[in-house]
Amino acid sequence: MAEPLGLHEHGYTCREVVDLAAEFVEGAMPAHETTLFEMHLNFCDGCFTFIDQIRETSALSARVAEDSLPEELKVELLRAFRDWKRT
């Protein structure tokens, strides 16, 4: 996989793409910002791949019902996200 360039490409840096990924994938980004965001993706293979992975993860997780998860896994997931800190 190509690594994100970390550069300011057409309105966004790679860090900003990561920060705004959910907003973009959910279609909640204003049209003008979406255009700039997509331009960055066109020039940055790493960010394009990252967004593709977010879309795939979202689609797969939408197919899993909470009551189908073993209780131990629920506890482990909640612990992992509770302890997660942004660097």
Side-chain angles (χ1 to χ4, degrees), residues 48-76:
F48 179 86
T49 300
F50 173 73
I51 293 296
D52 195 44
Q53 290 171 340
I54 296 294
R55 284 183 176 134
E56 182 73 18
T57 300
S58 178
L60 290 172
S61 63
R63 298 186 346 205
V64 177
E66 183 181 342
D67 58 348
S68 70
L69 298 174
E71 193 61 36
E72 305 82 40
L73 180 57
K74 288 181 194 178
V75 170
E76 187 177 331

Side-chain angles (χ1 to χ4, degrees), residues 13-46:
T13 64
C14 296
R15 171 47 75 194
E16 290 169 326
V17 168
V18 170
D19 291 344
L20 296 169
E23 187 177 344
F24 174 75
V25 170
E26 293 171 359
M29 187 177 278
H32 173 71
E33 291 178 28
T34 299
T35 299
L36 292 174
F37 195 93
E38 288 172 341
M39 285 177 68
H40 179 99
L41 298 180
N42 286 333
F43 290 94
C44 185
D45 291 340

